[in-house]
Amino acid sequence: MNQKFTPSETSTRWNPFDREVFWQAFQNQRQFTLQLVAQLSEVILCAQPHPLYSPVGWHLGHIGYTEAFWLLPEDSGFRDRDRYWYAADGRPKVERQHLPPRRQLLEYLAGIRQRTGDRFHCLSDTQWQQEARLWWWILQHEAQHSETMQMVLAMQGIFATLPPSLSLPQEHQRIAAGRYAIGSADLLALDNEQPSQWVETLPFRIDAAPVTWREFLAFVERGGYQQREWWSSSGWEWRQAEKITAPFYPIPENLDLPMWGLSFYEAEAYGHSQGKRLPSEREWEIAAQQGLLNRGYVWEWTQSPFAPYPGFQSYPYRGYSAPYFDGEHFVLKGGSHWTRPILKRPSFRNWYSRSTREVFAGARYVHQENLISQ
């Protein structure tokens, strides 16, 4: 907690050492979480539409449990009692449909927030300086789970809102060769974003916007799922084994919306059919830093495996990022329409396995003539 951080775009925006700024953001996130579930039935709260994802109600309990685990260190009994129910390594996902009623879940959240709020307001300025990074991590943890909750609802056909149409022409942006800084040394940066580093890149051209439903469906209609030539070996094996012949989510009425629900393999195959490729994460981040990408519509796949930066240090525990540095998980950048603003920064790294289709993920592409080392 005593590590020093340098200012960045994120710290300027959020003033992370300002206690009132934090508390307002902390409460705003909780209000958003509660609004997500306000109109849901008990059935929807407990529903598990996909075996890899926990019910919305379990996420509520997990958000509270994690807050208590890290921010109420003296209250071990409070944490130990609920470990089986709400810890990530507690019950198997198949058993998480068995939940307390909504009223009890909400009382659980409120009771923990009362305790963490009491502790927060009793922290001295010195204690706050020492603990601020952890409190912001907890806020971002809830923000991430609130998007996962929206994914679980989307799998049941429930969307609170949809992103706006992509009205920009599908042109490309040119990035000059040079030496650029990526990553972050900011207080809010998660462990896998750190430390910041300098990288070299050749010039490249990247699309101004992600692919739309209309564009991807044209690939489908041309038989893209059946044409082996567009798919990598592992992608084709996955497509055949899973009998994938169409996008995961139902087609929206507005085909000019950005495409979401794409796996890495599908995004990769579409790019090959267009004579393009997925960007590396450093290419994506460099372009985003310069304001050249309209972003925040969908998460965007990159061709980069999720790996530690030189000098990586786990925080707040080893299991947060490090277990996924396995060569099987790939980086997504940008954030989606359903992502909370606090997570939308160029350095933020999301990660999923290449076969994952349920995420609000699409892609934008780099022109294939750019042969840039990753």
Side-chain angles (χ1 to χ4, degrees), residues 312-355:
F312 166 83
Q313 295 183 5
S314 294
Y315 182 87
Y317 64 105
R318 186 184 180 280
Y320 182 68
S321 297
Y324 305 97
F325 298 148
D326 56 7
E328 299 297 323
H329 292 77
F330 278 61
V331 175
L332 300 94
K333 300 288 280 185
S336 77
H337 172 71
W338 300 273
T339 305
R340 298 295 290 155
I342 195 170
L343 304 177
K344 290 185 177 181
R345 52 184 179 266
S347 62
F348 191 91
R349 307 170 78 198
N350 201 353
W351 68 90
Y352 279 95
S353 66
R354 288 175 289 178
S355 60

Side-chain angles (χ1 to χ4, degrees), residues 88-107:
D89 59 353
R91 290 186 294 167
K93 289 182 180 177
V94 69
E95 297 179 11
R96 293 177 181 176
Q97 302 174 57
H98 307 295
L99 293 163
R102 173 208 301 275
R103 176 186 56 78
Q104 189 172 332
L105 283 170
L106 296 180
E107 289 176 352

Side-chain angles (χ1 to χ4, degrees), residues 30-195:
R30 178 54 52 82
Q31 183 179 15
F32 179 84
T33 300
L34 295 178
Q35 287 174 343
L36 280 179
V37 302
Q39 303 300 320
L40 300 182
S41 68
E42 299 280 352
V43 172
I44 295 296
L45 275 177
C46 297
Q48 187 177 24
H50 193 288
L52 296 181
Y53 295 88
S54 302
V56 168
W58 181 87
H59 285 278
L60 286 177
H62 175 72
I63 286 168
Y65 172 82
T66 304
E67 182 176 322
F69 184 91
W70 290 103
L71 300 183
L72 300 175
E74 305 302 322
D75 200 348
S76 59
F78 192 75
R79 294 177 292 150
D80 294 344
R81 182 193 68 200
D82 302 310
R83 180 179 181 82
Y84 171 76
W85 290 95
Y86 302 127
D89 59 353
R91 290 186 294 167
K93 289 182 180 177
V94 69
E95 297 179 11
R96 293 177 181 176
Q97 302 174 57
H98 307 295
L99 293 163
R102 173 208 301 275
R103 176 186 56 78
Q104 189 172 332
L105 283 170
L106 296 180
E107 289 176 352
Y108 178 69
L109 274 181
I112 291 171
R113 179 53 56 90
Q114 180 64 50
R115 295 180 183 219
T116 55
D118 290 345
R119 181 169 180 269
F120 172 82
H121 292 296
C122 289
L123 291 175
S124 68
D125 289 342
T126 299
Q127 288 174 317
W128 169 245
Q129 293 282 323
Q130 293 173 339
E131 296 189 20
R133 186 185 182 193
L134 181 61
W135 287 79
W136 282 105
W137 183 86
I138 289 293
L139 168 55
Q140 293 182 85
H141 174 267
E142 180 169 342
Q144 290 174 286
H145 276 274
S146 68
E147 180 165 5
T148 305
M149 291 162 67
Q150 292 176 87
M151 286 166 49
V152 175
L153 293 174
M155 286 181 237
Q156 300 173 73
I158 302 171
F159 287 90
T161 60
L162 293 176
S165 298
L166 287 173
S167 57
L168 293 177
Q170 290 285 36
E171 298 176 350
H172 57 263
Q173 303 287 353
R174 294 181 180 274
I175 309 299
R179 190 166 182 256
Y180 298 90
I182 65 170
S184 176
D186 187 76
L187 181 74
L188 272 67
L190 305 183
D191 61 1
N192 59 72
E193 297 174 67
Q194 300 182 39

